[in-house]
Structures are given as C-alpha cells and as structure tokens.
C-alpha cells in the first residue's frame, strides 16, 4: 500500500505537469543522443586506429632517376646502397621491431605501377623512374619514428613514409567532431538538470497544501520526497529510452546501411554489439542525473 501510494503520487505529478514533463523528455532525449553519438564515434576511432595500425607500413623509397633530394645526387640507388639498407633492417637493433619485411625491386614496382595506372603508360614510364622500395610492417606501429631516424638522410634513400600519417587528418576530424558532440551534450544535460529541478519545484508548489498536511501528520521526509524524485526519473527514463532507440537507428541505417557501402577503405564499423555497450550507459546517466537534480530540488523546497 505504501509503495502503491508513492507511485500513485508520482504518476499524479506527471499528469499535472505534462507540458514540463514533455520538455524534460525531449531535452534528455537530445542530450543523451549526443552523448551516445560521441561514445560511438570514439569507439569508431579506436577501431579504425587498431585496424590500420596492424596493417599500415613504413615505406623506404630508394632513389630513382627522377629523385631531386640531396641523398639522390648520384642518381638511381645502386645495389650496394640497397644492400646497405637491407643489412641495417636485418641488424640486431632493428630486426626485433619488424614483424614483416618486403622488398620490391624497381622492376616489380614498375609492374605494380602499370597495373594501377594502365598499360597505356607502358613506354611512358620506365623502371628507373619508379625506384625500388622496402615495405616494413612494425610489431609496434608507434615506433615508426625509429625507422625514419635510421634511414632518413641515408645515401640512396629518397624518402621514408609512414602510411598512418595519411589517416591522421581523418582521425583528427573525427576527434574534433567527438569533442563538439560532447560539448553540445554537456550543455543539453545542464539544461535537462535545470529543467528537472524547475519541474519538481513547480510540482511541489502545486501540491504545497497536501505536503503541509502530510508533514503535520508525521510523514517522513523520505516518504514526501520519493514521489517527486520518481517523477524526474520517469521523465528522464523515457528520454533515455528514446535516445537509445535513436542511437540504434543511427547505427543501423546511417552506418551499416549507408556508410559501410559507400566508404570502402574503412573495413570495420561500429555495430549492434557496440550499441549494446552504449545503451546502459545512456540510461544510467539519465536516471542518475534525474534522481540527483530532483532530489536536490525537493530537499531545498522542503527546507524553504
């Protein structure tokens, strides 16, 4: 009976302040949708970095006949220079850092270029214009600078390139978008907290005569406060569920059905398993913030 009375009072408060409750639901929905989007974007960034880190290579380009850098002053890299690079890669200092090493001769690199550009370039390009190259896969991709320092400026080496550097602008853009989403979500959550507090104070004011009678007959503060806290929690819970549905729809239709088929260089996208991790967090944030703000508001009103 006591629990039924408490829930009855909470539902009564929701009916009396329907417009404010709808506002709380909408603000909570929007703010938690941004929170979910930010979390999924961070998961996507982490997934992409892990995927490409395992596959990205450091490429050591040997001099070709077209090279203009100082280390290529003598023209195409000689066999001795190529052997020197190979020996250095096989040395005790660098070999433990390397998980895989491939060497493409100038002729092999030339054939690869023709496959990429088409046979019409046969005769326009020559093998000495392409140059030989080493493709190094590191056991720890974060140590690519070691390869760059070891071979940068070496005779016969035109350039050392880390493939991950081409993806850094994409990762940076996604990180900035995550920060923007977090900032908007933070502002919306603050608005939700203030709106919940205002709703609870208005609800308490509308029932001030009933609350006065309850205090006179000896009702405890916890018994008086609980229906108001439940009002805020119910409204926030509805907003959290709506945000969860929006996140699921965004991943299913926006990521899986749209982006996956159009952006082919990203092999792994966030999926349902990631959403199932995010949803409990969204619901938990909504409930905790609502309970805290509603509890704080009603305690202050009762002390006034």
């Amino acid at each position: 009976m006591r629990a039924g009375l408490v829930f009855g009072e909470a539902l009564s408060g929701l009916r009396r302040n329907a417009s404010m409750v709808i506002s709380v639901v909408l603000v909570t929905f929007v703010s938690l949708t941004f929170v979910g989007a930010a979390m999924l974007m961070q998961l996507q960034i982490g997934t992409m970095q892990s995927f490409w880190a395992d596959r990205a290579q450091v490429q050591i380009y040997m001099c070709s006949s077209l090279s203009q850098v100082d280390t290529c002053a003598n023209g195409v890299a000689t066999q001795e220079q190529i052997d020197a690079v190979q020996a250095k890669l096989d040395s005790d200092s660098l070999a433990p850092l390397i998980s895989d090493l491939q060497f493409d001769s100038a002729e092999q690199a030339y054939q690869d270029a023709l496959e990429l550009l088409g046979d019409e370039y046969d005769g326009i390009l020559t093998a000495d214009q392409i140059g030989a190259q080493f493709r190094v896969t590191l056991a720890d991709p974060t140590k690519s600078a070691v390869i760059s320092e070891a071979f940068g400026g070496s005779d016969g080496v035109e350039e050392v390139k880390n493939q991950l550097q081409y993806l850094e602008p994409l990762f940076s853009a996604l990180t900035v978008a995550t920060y923007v989403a977090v900032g908007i979500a933070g502002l919306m959550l603050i608005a939700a907290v203030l709106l919940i507090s205002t709703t609870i104070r208005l609800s308490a004011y509308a029932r001030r005569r009933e609350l006065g009678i309850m205090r006179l007959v000896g009702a405890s503060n916890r018994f008086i406060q609980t229906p108001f806290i439940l009002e805020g929690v119910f409204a926030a819970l509805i907003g959290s569920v709506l945000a969860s549905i929006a996140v699921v729809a965004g991943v299913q239709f926006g990521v899986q059905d749209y982006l996956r088929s159009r952006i082919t260089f990203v092999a792994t996208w966030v999926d349902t398993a990631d959403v199932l991790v995010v949803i409990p967090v969204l619901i938990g944030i909504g409930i905790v913030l609502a309970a805290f703000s509603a509890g704080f508001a009603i305690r202050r009103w009762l002390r006034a």
Side-chain angles (χ1 to χ4, degrees), residues 191-242:
V193 168
L194 295 176
L195 190 57
I196 291 171
S197 299
T198 301
T199 302
I200 296 306
R201 285 198 295 269
L202 288 175
S203 181
Y205 180 79
R207 286 182 278 174
R208 61 190 182 279
R209 183 171 300 177
E210 299 172 25
L211 296 180
I213 295 172
M214 292 173 67
R215 298 177 78 172
L216 286 175
V217 299
S220 65
N221 283 337
R222 177 173 296 181
F223 181 78
I224 296 173
Q225 294 169 9
T226 300
F228 295 98
I229 295 175
L230 288 177
E231 287 181 33
V233 169
F234 287 158
L237 181 60
I238 295 172
S240 302
V241 171
L242 292 176

